[in-house]
Amino acid sequence: MINIAIDGPSGSGKSTLAKEIAKRLGYIYVDTGALYRSIGLYIKEHQIDPKQKEAVIAALPNIHLELTYEEGKQTVYVNGVNVGDRIRTPEIAEITSTVASIPEIRSFLLSLQKDMAARHDVVMDGRDIGTVILPDAQVKIYLSASAENRAERRYKELRAKGIEITREEVKADLIKRDHADETRETAPAVAAKDAIPLDNSALNLEQTFEAAMEIIRKKLNEILPNRI
Ligand code: DC
């Protein structure tokens, strides 16, 4: 199987890029943030304090996650219910960042992610894909952009969803969350040593896509000539 890992901080445009690459190559796009966010949603809906590690861990046996793909679009079901856009709020992002630092949560999601990559050609995005989940991925890209750029994109995304929030709040949340993700003990959000960095601060969507495809073509041609 071909595995393409895309890691990077919040708002770097990982999901947009990963989706587009998966579409072009006919691979499955796996949004691992949605899995963590679905656990965050369960924790919120069951009024569990995300900072109470033991309570969060105790909830795990009650959480059954399922991933489905329809026309390339990933849908996550928690105990049979589609999480939809409920996982996309700033509150869920904050809860998720807290629970994602718990090692038991990360190992709970490990086999689901590894299993997808073992059975399908995938483009998987997240924070620890190149380092922990798919250390042997044929292509690893670390996508980043300046904090200003990332905050502006996230702000527009949230406003488009009708969420009332200011630019300043978005930027402050993003910096706080990235710091927590990058400094946690288990699977911190850092670039794998063999990841190719791609900074898209000065690139539009099309240019980012072309730059990423160039990296992918080059890498895959080295190992599998004429594959793409
Ligand atoms: O990519 P995102 O914004 O949907 O991620 C939501 C949160 O989940 C973020 O705080 C980082 C965490 N996360 C993680 O720890 N590991 C992943 N592979 C994906 C997301």
Side-chain angles (χ1 to χ4, degrees), residues 2-6 14 17-27 122-124 137-143 196-198 208-228:
I2 301 290
N3 294 168
I4 298 176
I6 302 186
K14 296 186 299 293
L17 175 64
K19 244 181 250 169
E20 215 35 52
I21 295 170
K23 199 162 130 194
R24 171 73 63 95
L25 299 178
Y27 294 5
V122 295
V123 183
M124 189 176 284
Q138 290 89 342
V139 188
K140 298 180 186 179
I141 295 176
Y142 193 81
L143 189 67
I196 299 180
L198 175 55
T208 304
F209 175 70
E210 285 308 329
M213 283 304 292
E214 199 45 47
I215 293 170
I216 294 166
R217 268 186 219 110
K218 197 160 170 276
K219 273 276 166 195
L220 291 186
N221 271 328
E222 279 167 20
I223 45 174
L224 300 159
N226 305 321
R227 165 100 191 190
I228 59 168

Side-chain angles (χ1 to χ4, degrees), residues 10-215:
S10 318
S12 55
K14 296 186 299 293
S15 61
T16 309
L17 175 64
K19 244 181 250 169
E20 215 35 52
I21 295 170
K23 199 162 130 194
R24 171 73 63 95
L25 299 178
Y27 294 5
I28 284 186
Y29 162 53
V30 185
D31 171 2
T32 65
L35 301 174
Y36 286 91
R37 284 171 180 264
S38 298
I39 294 184
L41 179 69
Y42 181 96
I43 294 303
K44 176 184 177 248
E45 290 187 339
H46 288 76
Q47 281 123 36
I48 297 166
D49 177 353
K51 294 201 176 75
Q52 296 287 320
K53 215 175 129 184
E54 298 309 322
V56 174
I57 295 169
L60 286 178
N62 304 323
I63 305 177
H64 178 68
L65 285 184
E66 241 178 304
L67 278 183
T68 65
Y69 289 88
E70 283 139 42
E71 287 170 25
K73 193 179 174 310
Q74 170 181 303
T75 307
V76 185
Y77 292 84
V78 175
N79 299 334
V81 181
N82 182 348
V83 297
D85 264 354
R86 287 178 299 146
I87 60 171
R88 302 289 167 200
T89 66
E91 186 193 3
I92 293 297
E94 166 116 37
I95 294 172
T96 303
S97 181
T98 305
V99 299
S101 69
I102 304 173
E104 285 82 351
I105 299 284
R106 307 202 69 83
S107 47
F108 178 75
L109 293 175
L110 190 87
S111 55
L112 180 60
Q113 297 170 82
K114 276 186 178 287
D115 195 51
M116 285 302 294
R119 289 190 292 119
H120 308 277
D121 291 328
V122 295
V123 183
M124 189 176 284
D125 81 349
R127 301 295 189 291
D128 61 342
I129 309 306
T131 50
V132 177
I133 306 297
L134 307 176
D136 298 326
Q138 290 89 342
V139 188
K140 298 180 186 179
I141 295 176
Y142 193 81
L143 189 67
S144 60
S146 70
E148 275 69 29
N149 270 279
R150 294 185 291 112
E152 185 62 25
R153 290 177 199 155
R154 221 355 94 88
Y155 170 73
K156 285 186 181 143
E157 243 172 62
L158 292 171
R159 292 301 294 235
K161 289 203 167 93
I163 293 169
E164 286 293 325
I165 194 159
T166 66
R167 278 194 169 78
E168 290 66 35
E169 282 167 336
V170 173
K171 189 171 171 196
D173 280 359
L174 194 122
I175 289 172
K176 184 174 149 213
R177 206 148 61 83
D178 284 345
H179 180 73
D181 294 338
E182 285 159 12
T183 55
R184 68 182 172 219
E185 266 178 44
T186 310
V190 292
K193 285 197 177 65
D194 52 350
I196 299 180
L198 175 55
D199 184 317
N200 68 2
S201 303
L203 305 181
N204 64 25
L205 288 183
E206 187 56 33
Q207 292 165 328
T208 304
F209 175 70
E210 285 308 329
M213 283 304 292
E214 199 45 47
I215 293 170

